[in-house]
Amino acid sequence: MADLAPVIAIDGPGGSGKGTIAMRLANRLGWRLLDSGALYRLVAVAALDRGIEANDGVALAQLAAGLDAAFGVGDGGMVVRLEGRDITARLRSEQVSAFSSKAAAFPDVRAALVGLQRGFRKPPGLVADGRDMGTVIFPDARLKIFLTASAEARAERRLKQLKEKGENVNLPRLFREIKKRDERDRSRAVSPLIPAPDAHLIDSTELSIDEVVHKVLKLLEESGISS
Ligand code: C5P
């Protein structure tokens, strides 16, 4: 393990800001970025396109095992391709959010994505965000952050994001969806959303993105990983 590239694991519920924080850190350090939620979302998009139901664990695991995904950077940020098609715009829709969280509860779906996720670990380092980065995928991560925020704050952030993308959503419905997804992510038998024992907890409810980045950078400094 000693000669493996270092990993910073950032876990937490949806809307806690972990994706934005992970991207900022990766840019700053010049490290690779793994948005592990995007992989579960890709499984959801592939399943929806093929008419596979969210309760068909066997078919979903097969899809996950053969996932033909590519990540790139375009003018507007990350570009995600599934079987060569740009599906970036669909990735964050509420339909895909709900489906991906159901698919992620199947142990065989999770197992099928482990190798793909660990493959992102390359020098000079990796910033990985998700639900089980610090507990299951990279238990030897050099720094583990567990980022939370109140469900209200997360729903409001999500509303803003989705509105900017032109999706027709309302706050009470988003709030209910977020609570449902939290409950599913926390209570599943395999890789539930829980902080690793050695994770640093940060509550971002009252903090700006800059303030959270600042806190993580301080922890980085203290942990001896230079930026
Ligand atoms: O992080 P994001 O909201 O994009 O993740 C979408 C869904 O994928 C989550 O609701 C969660 O159920 C699942 N997920 C997971 N493990 C991860 C990342 C995401 O179970 N490491």
Side-chain angles (χ1 to χ4, degrees):
M1 288 263 176
D3 54 352
L4 283 175
V7 175
I8 300 174
I10 306 185
D11 290 306
S16 57
K18 58 192 164 38
T20 310
I21 306 296
M23 199 182 295
R24 291 265 193 110
L25 280 169
N27 284 342
R28 176 164 179 135
L29 297 165
W31 288 9
R32 300 186 90 202
L33 177 68
L34 166 62
D35 170 4
S36 61
L39 301 180
Y40 292 93
R41 289 174 181 273
L42 276 162
V43 172
V45 172
L48 286 164
D49 285 355
R50 287 170 170 77
I52 292 170
E53 303 282 337
N55 60 7
D56 189 348
V58 174
L60 292 171
Q62 269 170 9
L63 268 188
L67 206 60
D68 173 11
F71 297 87
V73 183
D75 292 342
M78 190 167 79
V79 175
V80 184
R81 289 182 196 283
L82 179 66
E83 289 145 12
R85 285 172 299 128
D86 181 350
I87 52 92
T88 318
R90 294 172 63 196
L91 213 58
R92 310 259 151 223
S93 71
E94 277 306 289
Q95 185 194 26
V96 169
S97 296
F99 196 114
S100 61
S101 146
K102 289 177 193 157
F106 288 105
D108 289 349
V109 171
R110 306 198 69 84
L113 295 175
V114 170
L116 187 57
Q117 293 175 86
R118 292 197 176 137
F120 278 75
R121 185 178 196 167
K122 297 219 170 90
L126 175 70
V127 183
D129 91 70
R131 305 291 188 289
D132 59 347
M133 297 297 97
T135 49
V136 176
I137 306 297
F138 304 111
D140 62 332
R142 291 263 283 273
L143 179 66
K144 299 180 187 178
I145 306 289
F146 194 84
L147 199 58
T148 58
S150 71
E152 289 82 359
R154 292 185 287 120
E156 273 170 25
R157 289 175 191 170
R158 204 70 161 190
L159 182 76
K160 206 169 148 241
Q161 271 179 357
L162 291 171
K163 273 197 166 163
E164 277 165 10
K165 290 191 175 133
E167 263 204 58
N168 187 16
V169 280
N170 68 65
L171 193 58
R173 213 189 87 204
L174 262 184
F175 184 72
R176 279 199 305 276
E177 288 297 320
I178 279 192
K179 295 282 265 191
K180 239 196 279 176
R181 206 144 67 90
D182 280 357
E183 183 50 33
R184 223 175 2 239
D185 288 352
R186 288 203 170 100
S187 62
R188 68 180 170 224
V190 178
S191 305
L193 173 63
I194 41 160
D198 50 348
H200 299 267
L201 302 187
I202 299 179
D203 184 339
S204 73
T205 308
E206 306 286 340
L207 300 176
S208 67
I209 291 168
D210 283 342
E211 285 169 324
V212 178
V213 169
H214 183 74
K215 265 181 188 274
V216 178
L217 285 174
K218 246 182 99 183
L219 288 167
L220 255 177
E221 230 175 79
E222 286 163 16
S223 75
I225 305 176
S226 57
S227 52

